[in-house]
């Protein structure tokens, strides 16, 4: 009996707070996307910026668990924006790295049909996404997402590191990072040139697979809460 109790002992706090999020390895080298994106940018972007989001996310989740265990609503509210920013930064970049490939490629037949249905054709989609990306003030992301409720593609611009699905409910298919650290070392203030060139290294196999998978997912259940009035 006593041995059983020891076996079922509550895990230590250090085990409960073990970091769950890690920096993903890239499937290509830092210089694989040259000349579209330089080696220096890729290394800085991955090893400094994305790594910082992961480190901060793990620390914030630790503090959030402490606050929740103490029912400290004020601390939970204070931490929430930091959780959204760093959690979104991690989610967004995990998608971004897979959205890129030295080989580039072409969209699947199904995705091309969706472009025609929702934007007129591929060129219409590309022009709208580029216009969206170039119009973002400061840092943010231009997204191609899938609306599971209306079963169509949609384009959305989000500021900061707001995650697409968590913010809008759209399933993320393709994201273009327009924070300056994604392009400034190479393109200076010529964001539009970066946004144009990045289409040469889009991993359309990945985007097409994301679209195929998104089409099979049910719309999210609506959140319902009691009214206070």
């Amino acid at each position: 009996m006593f041995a059983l109790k020891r076996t079922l002992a509550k895990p230590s706090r250090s085990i409960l707070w073990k970091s769950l999020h890690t920096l993903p390895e890239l499937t290509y080298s830092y210089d694989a996307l040259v000349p579209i994106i330089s080696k220096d940018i890729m290394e800085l972007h991955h090893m400094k910026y994305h790594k910082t989001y992961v480190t901060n996310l793990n620390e914030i989740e630790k503090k959030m668990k402490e606050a929740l265990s103490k029912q400290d609503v004020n601390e939970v509210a204070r931490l929430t924006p930091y959780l959204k920013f760093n959690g979104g930064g991690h989610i967004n970049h995990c998608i971004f790295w897979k959205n890129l490939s030295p080989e580039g490629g072409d969209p699947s037949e199904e995705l091309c049909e969706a472009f025609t249905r929702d934007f007129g054709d591929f060129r219409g989609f590309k022009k709208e996404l580029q216009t969206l990306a170039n119009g973002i003030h400061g840092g943010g992301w231009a997204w191609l997402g899938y609306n599971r409720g209306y079963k169509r593609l949609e384009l959305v611009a989000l500021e900061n590191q707001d995650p697409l699905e968590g913010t809008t409910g759209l399933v993320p298919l393709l994201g273009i990072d327009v924070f300056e650290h994604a392009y400034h070392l190479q393109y200076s203030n010529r964001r539009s040139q970066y946004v144009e060139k990045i289409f040469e290294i889009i991993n359309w196999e990945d985007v097409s697979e994301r679209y195929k998978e998104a089409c099979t997912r049910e719309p999210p259940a609506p959140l319902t809460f009691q009214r206070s009035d």
Side-chain angles (χ1 to χ4, degrees):
M1 176 65 73
F2 294 107
L4 178 60
K5 286 185 177 180
R6 287 196 294 271
T7 302
L8 299 178
K10 188 176 180 179
S12 69
R13 292 165 71 88
S14 62
I15 293 176
L16 287 173
W17 289 340
K18 183 178 180 181
S19 297
L20 298 178
H21 307 284
T22 59
L23 182 69
E25 292 186 8
L26 302 184
T27 58
Y28 41 82
S29 62
Y30 288 133
D31 61 357
L33 304 181
V34 173
I36 310 303
I37 301 180
S38 71
K39 177 182 178 181
D40 289 344
I41 287 178
M42 287 298 299
E43 189 167 5
L44 181 71
H45 200 167
H46 182 246
M47 285 301 297
K48 178 182 178 182
Y49 287 94
H50 191 174
K51 187 176 182 180
T52 298
Y53 297 135
V54 172
T55 300
N56 289 344
L57 176 59
N58 286 322
E59 183 62 25
I60 293 164
E61 285 192 343
K62 173 183 171 181
K63 293 180 182 297
M64 184 70 83
K65 288 176 183 178
E66 291 177 338
L68 289 169
S69 69
K70 297 175 182 178
Q71 297 185 331
D72 188 343
V73 179
N74 282 323
E75 182 66 2
V76 170
R78 187 182 74 86
L79 291 169
T80 297
Y82 299 97
L83 180 65
K84 184 177 183 180
F85 182 81
N86 290 280
H90 180 45
I91 291 170
N92 294 343
H93 284 86
C94 285
I95 297 170
F96 184 64
W97 305 133
K98 293 183 178 180
N99 275 171
L100 303 179
S101 168
E103 287 77 31
D106 297 299
S108 66
E109 181 178 347
E110 292 78 12
L111 185 54
C112 285
E113 290 174 355
F115 286 144
T116 300
R117 179 192 68 215
D118 298 324
F119 303 107
D121 55 20
F122 177 81
R123 287 184 297 178
F125 147 72
K126 180 180 177 182
K127 182 179 180 180
E128 285 192 40
L129 184 61
Q130 289 177 328
T131 299
L132 200 64
N134 290 325
I136 295 173
H137 296 288
W141 292 74
W143 287 101
L144 168 68
Y146 180 72
N147 188 316
R148 289 172 284 169
Y150 292 103
K151 300 185 183 304
R152 69 185 184 198
L153 301 175
E154 294 184 12
L155 302 179
V156 178
L158 293 177
E159 296 181 348
N160 299 316
Q161 293 292 351
D162 293 358
L164 182 67
E165 189 163 1
T167 304
T168 68
L170 300 177
V171 180
L173 307 180
L174 170 64
I176 298 179
D177 185 351
V178 293
F179 276 85
E180 284 194 347
H181 61 244
Y183 65 88
H184 194 267
L185 281 178
Q186 183 173 350
Y187 293 92
S188 186
N189 62 348
R190 301 184 301 275
R191 179 195 286 183
S192 60
Q193 185 178 352
Y194 156 73
V195 170
E196 174 68 34
K197 298 292 288 184
I198 201 171
F199 270 81
E200 297 181 26
I201 51 171
I202 296 298
N203 183 355
W204 286 110
E205 180 179 355
D206 177 69
V207 179
S208 298
E209 281 298 315
R210 291 178 187 275
Y211 173 66
K212 181 179 179 181
E213 191 273 335
C215 289
T216 67
R217 292 176 56 184
E218 294 294 324
L223 295 175
T224 56
F225 301 98
Q226 283 189 327
R227 294 174 61 91
S228 58
D229 55 358

